[in-house]
């Protein structure tokens, strides 16, 4: 049984006339009659009773017409759903992100634009550390992720540079360091620090220690470790000490905390969107294109503001 035969049968059943059905389908009437005859022979019973003018559905034909309509509608709906996925308009996209990148800029704006442009798609968001995201992308648990510690080259992954951020100092309001016009690394000697742990990214930790040593902060006084930026900001707000955060923290830090630039600390940190090279998801391709557009737009706007 062919779909064409079902469509022909539905047209004749609704029109109750071969001629009108042929006109509606834009086929020759003999070809239409032959397809209906083939269908009746295949299923083993008559669908129509022939009349002097037109035809009339048999009792079996009436029931078959209801099912044929339903089948054709389900096939049409299935094709529409599959086409929507193929065009990147529906399906599921799983994206990771570092919590400190989600407050301002490309990351939150890309999520908003996704919901606006792909209302029929599902966006699953997973906050996670950069290394956890990279493992999840490689294993296929995530389609993409906004990561801070992206390897310069990776045979499995591709990447799009989204932003360059800088490490700055979070300090309690009223702290003596906030009164300095130009804060330098050597000024932090003896200050109690809420420091990030080494294990999430040993290379970055060691590089930070090297930069501090080079600038005169040879032995930071670490009184507490904070696993993430939110924890560091919270502990700084209590007056426990000062801590290193990204400059974007000024958009979400507590009222009792200020973000200070350290003039001789040059610690840029790249934020990149990463994904598997072999991920052929049209939904992912649309997301990457929108992130690229947003990145270019913000870069041009910031350039114009300078």
């Amino acid at each position: 049984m062919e779909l064409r035969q079902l469509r022909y049968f539905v047209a004749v059943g609704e029109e109750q006339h071969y001629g009108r059905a042929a006109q509606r389908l834009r086929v020759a009437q003999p070809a239409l009659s032959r397809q209906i005859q083939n269908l009746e022979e295949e299923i083993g019973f008559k669908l129509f009773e022939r009349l002097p003018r037109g035809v009339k559905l048999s009792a079996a034909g009436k029931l078959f017409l209801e099912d044929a309509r339903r089948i054709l509608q389900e096939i049409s709906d299935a094709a529409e759903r599959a086409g929507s996925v193929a065009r990147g308009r529906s399906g599921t996209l799983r994206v990771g992100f570092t919590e400190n990148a989600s407050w301002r800029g490309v990351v939150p704006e890309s999520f908003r634009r996704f919901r606006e442009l792909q209302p029929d798609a599902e966006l699953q968001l997973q906050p996670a550390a950069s290394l956890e995201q990279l493992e999840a992308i490689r294993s296929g648990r995530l389609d993409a992720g906004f990561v801070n510690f992206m390897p310069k080259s990776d045979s499995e992954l591709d990447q799009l540079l989204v932003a360059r951020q800088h490490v700055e100092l979070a300090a309690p309001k009223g702290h003596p360091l906030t009164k300095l016009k130009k804060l330098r690394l050597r000024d932090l000697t003896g200050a109690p620090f809420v420091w990030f742990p080494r294990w999430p990214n040993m290379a970055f930790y060691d590089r930070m220690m090297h930069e501090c040593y080079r600038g005169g902060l040879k032995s930071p006084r670490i009184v507490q470790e904070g696993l993430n930026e939110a924890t560091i900001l919270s502990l700084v707000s209590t007056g426990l000490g000062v801590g290193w955060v990204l400059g974007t923290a000024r958009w979400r830090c507590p009222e009792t905390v200020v973000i200070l630039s350290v003039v001789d600390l040059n610690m840029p940190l790249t934020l990149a969107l990463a994904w598997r090279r072999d991920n052929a998801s049209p939904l992912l391709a649309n997301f990457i294109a929108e992130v690229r557009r947003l990145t270019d737009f913000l870069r041009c706007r910031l350039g114009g503001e300078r």
Side-chain angles (χ1 to χ4, degrees):
M1 186 182 301
E2 301 177 5
L3 289 179
R4 177 179 58 176
Q5 292 175 326
L6 287 182
R7 287 194 293 268
Y8 285 8
F9 163 68
V10 169
V12 176
E14 291 177 346
E15 297 293 340
Q16 302 281 292
H17 194 279
Y18 274 91
R20 289 194 298 270
Q23 290 179 349
R24 169 174 153 183
L25 295 167
R26 296 183 179 178
V27 298
Q29 184 171 332
L32 175 60
S33 299
R34 186 166 56 253
Q35 288 298 326
I36 297 299
Q37 182 179 356
N38 292 342
L39 177 60
E40 289 177 327
E41 290 176 356
E42 182 173 348
I43 60 179
F45 55 85
K46 292 294 183 181
L47 296 169
F48 297 102
E49 297 176 10
R50 273 61 177 178
L51 303 174
R53 294 183 179 179
V55 292
K56 181 176 72 171
L57 283 164
S58 65
K62 290 179 181 179
L63 181 61
F64 194 68
L65 178 61
E66 294 177 8
D67 288 337
R69 283 171 171 161
R70 176 181 53 78
I71 291 168
L72 291 175
Q73 185 61 51
E74 288 177 353
I75 291 173
S76 176
D77 292 344
E80 179 60 30
R81 289 193 299 270
S84 184
V85 171
R87 293 187 293 272
R89 294 178 182 174
S90 65
T92 300
L93 185 71
R94 302 156 301 170
V95 181
F97 63 96
T98 54
E99 189 264 350
N100 57 9
S102 65
W103 290 88
R104 184 178 173 86
V106 171
V107 176
E109 184 63 15
S110 69
F111 298 154
R112 185 191 69 80
R113 289 286 291 166
F114 181 92
R115 289 265 47 89
E116 182 180 289
L117 297 175
Q118 275 84 225
D120 297 327
E122 179 184 4
L123 178 61
Q124 294 182 359
L125 300 177
Q126 180 63 54
S130 295
L131 295 183
E132 293 176 13
Q133 288 186 63
L134 291 174
E135 292 175 4
I137 293 168
R138 288 191 178 96
S139 68
R141 300 193 309 274
L142 285 177
D143 294 301
F146 289 97
V147 298
N148 287 125
F149 304 109
M150 183 66 192
K152 291 183 178 179
S153 61
D154 192 299
S155 60
E156 287 186 278
L157 305 181
D158 209 343
Q159 63 177 295
L160 170 64
L161 178 64
V162 171
R164 284 188 174 87
Q165 307 171 92
H166 292 271
V167 175
E168 300 189 12
L169 188 76
K173 269 188 179 177
H175 193 284
L177 292 173
T178 64
K179 297 176 172 58
L180 298 178
K181 290 185 177 179
K182 285 189 176 182
L183 182 62
R184 298 181 181 277
L185 285 166
R186 63 172 180 263
D187 299 324
L188 307 179
T189 301
F193 265 96
V194 180
W195 206 279
F196 52 89
R198 185 172 184 264
W199 65 264
N201 194 288
M202 292 182 286
F204 183 76
Y205 183 98
D206 294 344
R207 182 181 161 206
M208 188 73 194
M209 285 294 190
H210 174 76
E211 287 296 312
C212 288
Y213 186 89
R214 179 193 56 77
L217 180 59
K218 296 185 178 181
S219 183
R221 181 186 162 205
I222 300 173
V223 298
Q224 179 64 49
E225 284 191 344
L227 181 58
N228 52 43
E229 191 174 85
T231 302
I232 292 173
L233 286 170
S234 176
L235 293 175
V236 170
S237 73
T238 68
L240 183 62
V242 298
W244 299 117
V245 296
L246 293 180
T248 51
R250 57 175 37 90
W251 301 109
R252 55 86 171 244
C253 68
E255 292 182 358
T256 55
V257 174
V258 293
I259 307 300
L260 306 172
S261 295
V262 181
V263 295
D264 58 344
L265 176 64
N266 182 26
M267 285 289 291
L269 193 62
T270 59
L271 177 67
L273 178 67
W275 66 92
R276 281 184 64 101
R277 294 179 187 272
D278 60 358
N279 190 331
S281 164
L283 200 58
L284 173 62
N286 288 350
F287 183 74
I288 294 169
E290 186 59 27
V291 171
R292 181 174 282 109
R293 191 197 68 79
L294 287 170
T295 300
D296 292 343
F297 171 76
L298 291 176
R299 188 177 293 126
C300 290
R301 190 177 72 177
L302 291 174
E305 291 174 356
R306 294 193 189 95

